[in-house]
Amino acid sequence: MTLPHEAETAAPESGPERSPAGPGGAGSASGRSPQGAERTAAAPSDAENRSAPEETPRRAPGPAEAPTPGEATTTKADHAKPAKPAKPAKPAAGVRRGRKAFWLALALLATLLLLALVSAGTGAYRIPTADVLASAQHRLGLGGAPLDRVGESVLWNVRLPRVVLALLVGASLGCAGALMQGVFGNPLAEPGVIGISAGAAVGAVAAIGLGLSFFGNWTITVCAFVAGLITVSSVYLLSRNGGKTEVVTLILTGIAVNAFAGALIGLFVFFADSGQVNQITFWQLGSLAQATWPKVLAVLPCAVAGLLVAPFYARRLDLLSLGERPARHLGIDVERLRLALILVVALLTAAAVAVAGVITFIGLLVPHLLRMANGPGHRFLVPGSALAGAVVLVVGDLAARTLAQPAELPLGVLTALIGSPFFFWLLRRTRRKQGGWA
């Protein structure tokens, strides 16, 4: 008599239903049903699974196996096709940004020329734009026709010196602001905010109050340059901590420098006579009302020299924006670069303060507007800030002498009224991005 479990054990050895897995396979497991053995036999083995993907690519597809037009294929070539158009993405973006910078610079230049013509003809004595162009053509020997005696005197002795001076001062302040923000690596750096304009004004006021004239027409400019250089060097040294410039320290240093400069200016006012007091008040408020061609010629070399030198440092400023250590690894002498740019900033600020007094927020407002329009690259930012600064100051001067006719608003007061709200917004935006002041 055969027991049930003996019958189950003997069945695979003699019957035709023997498991193809052989001894030790899935079909020889004790207690496994025939249906389970069939399912196990029907499943491919691990060796067959491993060999299947290797054999498929080696076999050439036959004609009958060619994919139909509606079928999707997954070959390596098809996977590589979508990646090819993505390679020129960066050059295309660079080309688009370069074109945008070109058209933006062209628009700024055209706007500046148009505003200069309008400003030259606007005032208590109205001169049409066509007459301004005709007079300029006549002076250049290109035809045209001169104005009457009063019109020629107003245009060439009053209006045009003021317009040219506004161009130089605005370009100097805008360019100085872009350079300072690149040197300090700080979006809040600006000649007026951190006290450099006030320091340069101390030098100019000292020259007025002490009656200095050892350089002739250049005396005020030289004194403003020396005082501005001392101020910017002091701000740079006092705001450095651990190899970097701190935002809070920079602002507090600017507050201290402005307070000290204000005290010195007040001291010179106390000891000055009435004529000198009027001149010192002019420096404090900022104005272009006393613009003359000799003043333009006195400040022109400093402003032009600074504006021509500044764009050559654009690439090194881009590298410096990566950080001091990466810039050094890329071959930039950081300290020499900072020293050179501090001299350029002092030169531009002295040129502006020597003829226009303290005019703030131009160097803060203009570079940020251009960064919003075209990004942080200094190749466009430095010359673009000069153009945009000239545009802003020409508009500001036009508003200062037309909004309260026949009186004239101080230009420095007007720019501070417009720039202060922007500074508050920028301060809050910077704090929000950094997550608080550390």
Side-chain angles (χ1 to χ4, degrees):
M1 180 175 181
T2 307
L3 294 175
H5 66 275
E6 293 176 353
E8 290 174 1
T9 306
E13 296 178 0
S14 57
E17 298 177 359
R18 184 178 177 181
S19 172
S28 63
S30 175
R32 186 73 57 86
S33 66
Q35 290 82 2
E38 289 175 2
R39 285 195 297 269
T40 306
S45 63
D46 292 341
E48 291 173 353
N49 286 332
R50 285 194 299 268
S51 62
E54 297 176 0
E55 293 176 0
T56 302
R58 295 195 189 102
R59 185 168 53 87
E65 296 177 357
T68 60
E71 289 180 350
T73 58
T74 57
T75 61
K76 291 183 179 180
D78 291 334
H79 283 299
K81 284 180 182 178
K84 288 181 180 179
K87 289 182 180 180
K90 288 186 178 179
V95 170
R96 286 196 299 270
R97 180 167 292 180
R99 290 176 180 174
K100 186 178 180 181
F102 171 77
W103 288 111
L104 187 59
L106 195 63
L108 286 173
L109 185 59
T111 303
L112 183 60
L113 293 176
L114 180 62
L115 286 172
L117 288 175
V118 172
S119 180
T122 304
Y125 187 88
R126 180 76 180 177
I127 303 175
T129 303
D131 293 345
V132 173
L133 290 173
S135 179
Q137 290 176 352
H138 177 73
R139 289 291 182 109
L140 296 174
L142 301 176
L147 302 174
D148 56 19
R149 185 177 60 83
V150 177
E152 284 284 306
S153 177
V154 169
L155 178 62
W156 290 97
N157 297 328
V158 178
R159 299 273 175 80
L160 285 181
R162 187 162 183 163
V163 171
V164 174
L165 206 57
L167 294 177
L168 292 174
V169 172
S172 299
L173 292 176
C175 185
L179 292 178
M180 285 198 64
Q181 291 170 15
V183 169
F184 287 96
N186 194 303
L188 303 179
E190 194 263 342
V193 172
I194 64 175
I196 298 176
S197 295
V202 169
V205 168
I208 295 172
L210 299 176
L212 302 179
S213 59
F214 47 83
F215 284 113
N217 291 333
W218 291 83
T219 303
I220 295 177
T221 303
V222 170
C223 292
F225 172 73
V226 173
L229 182 60
I230 294 172
T231 305
V232 71
S233 301
S234 302
V235 168
Y236 173 69
L237 294 175
L238 293 174
S239 60
R240 298 280 290 175
N241 185 19
K244 60 182 180 180
T245 306
E246 295 180 347
V247 178
V248 176
T249 308
L250 185 70
I251 296 176
L252 293 177
T253 304
I255 293 173
V257 169
N258 279 315
F260 185 69
L264 290 178
I265 291 174
L267 192 62
F268 282 114
V269 169
F270 178 77
F271 289 106
D273 56 26
S274 59
Q276 292 172 340
V277 167
N278 292 332
Q279 285 184 292
I280 292 173
T281 304
F282 159 77
W283 294 111
Q284 286 181 294
L285 298 178
S287 177
L288 297 175
Q290 299 180 11
T292 58
W293 286 119
K295 289 189 175 182
V296 171
L297 295 177
V299 76
L300 184 64
C302 296
V304 171
L307 293 174
L308 290 179
V309 169
F312 290 100
Y313 291 94
R315 180 180 173 276
R316 279 170 274 187
L317 284 174
D318 287 336
L319 297 178
L320 185 61
S321 64
L322 302 174
E324 290 189 20
R325 185 173 297 176
R328 287 193 180 97
H329 287 314
L330 293 172
I332 302 298
D333 190 342
V334 176
E335 296 304 323
R336 181 178 295 179
L337 174 63
R338 282 204 168 108
L339 180 61
L341 289 178
I342 283 173
L343 289 173
V344 174
V345 168
L347 188 65
L348 291 172
T349 306
V353 172
V355 295
V358 180
I359 299 176
T360 57
F361 292 107
I362 298 294
L364 180 70
L365 179 72
V366 168
H368 280 284
L369 294 178
L370 292 183
R371 284 192 190 95
M372 293 176 186
N374 195 63
H378 287 85
R379 290 188 178 182
F380 168 75
L381 186 64
V382 172
S385 296
L387 282 175
V391 169
V392 170
L393 205 63
V394 169
V395 173
D397 182 59
L398 182 61
R401 58 189 175 87
T402 56
L403 289 179
Q405 285 183 340
E408 181 175 323
L409 294 174
L411 183 57
V413 174
L414 191 61
T415 57
L417 287 174
I418 297 172
S420 297
F422 180 80
F423 179 74
F424 293 146
W425 171 81
L426 181 62
L427 198 64
R428 292 184 60 84
R429 177 174 176 266
T430 306
R431 180 180 181 181
R432 194 164 54 244
K433 289 178 66 177
Q434 292 184 356
W437 305 115

